[in-house]
Amino acid sequence: MTMRPGAQLDFREALNSLASAQKTSKGAPAYSRYINRRLGRVFAAAAYSRGLTPNQVTLISAIATFSGLALLILTDPTTGTALLVTTLLVLGYALDSADGQLARLTGTGSAAGEWLDHTVDAFKEGSLHLCVLICWWRYLDLETAWLI
């Protein structure tokens, strides 16, 4: 799927190229298969057409995700907050899919980029659960046993 050197695709061509070269869906959860990868493909094509690098997409993904997590622990849980947190998390995870797709499209994947991606992913995974716990502790009247 890597492009020819010097070739420049428009958004639609990049999107079509990405659609024809997805990772196998074998064993992938339904959310990843039907939502995350599809959104990621659109974001990867958009990032490509704007000249972003995979590492820049990883950093934008981290900003979206950690902004959502910060809202989760710093603001009262309301319907509006829940929708905003959900939107930021969906955006962050879709961009996390996009960075790898963009690297495959452009042939610019690197060990450092993969390390950055996996490091950000590891912080996301642990932080999400911790932030939900903090939110519950701060805003819900729950017995300690439920928090543990």
Side-chain angles (χ1 to χ4, degrees):
M1 173 172 78
T2 304
M3 300 178 358
R4 301 180 313 278
Q8 183 66 27
L9 305 174
D10 65 20
F11 174 82
R12 177 64 53 197
E13 292 169 329
L15 189 62
N16 289 338
S17 180
L18 287 163
S20 66
Q22 289 294 299
K23 285 188 205 177
T24 179
S25 293
K26 187 175 185 175
Y31 178 81
S32 289
R33 195 178 322 168
Y34 299 114
I35 297 171
N36 205 44
R37 287 185 185 172
R38 290 178 184 188
L39 282 174
R41 185 168 53 236
V42 172
F43 289 141
Y48 171 82
S49 67
R50 285 163 182 72
L52 296 176
T53 67
N55 288 348
Q56 289 171 323
V57 174
T58 298
L59 293 176
I60 295 167
S61 166
I63 290 167
T65 299
F66 290 113
S67 294
L69 295 177
L71 281 172
L72 184 64
I73 62 173
L74 297 174
T75 60
D76 288 329
T78 64
T79 302
T81 302
L83 291 173
L84 183 55
V85 168
T86 300
T87 300
L88 288 167
L89 292 177
V90 168
L91 176 64
Y93 280 89
L95 286 166
D96 181 45
S97 175
D99 60 6
Q101 293 186 52
L102 179 60
R104 287 187 292 278
L105 177 66
T106 59
T108 57
S110 68
E114 190 171 344
W115 177 87
L116 176 65
D117 180 54
H118 291 304
T119 301
V120 169
D121 288 350
F123 277 104
K124 283 180 186 182
E125 297 266 335
S127 297
L128 177 61
H129 297 93
L130 180 61
C131 289
V132 169
L133 174 64
I134 292 169
C135 177
W136 288 1
W137 174 71
R138 287 190 70 193
Y139 300 108
L140 301 179
D141 187 23
L142 296 173
E143 292 186 32
T144 304
W146 284 105
L147 297 175
I148 293 172

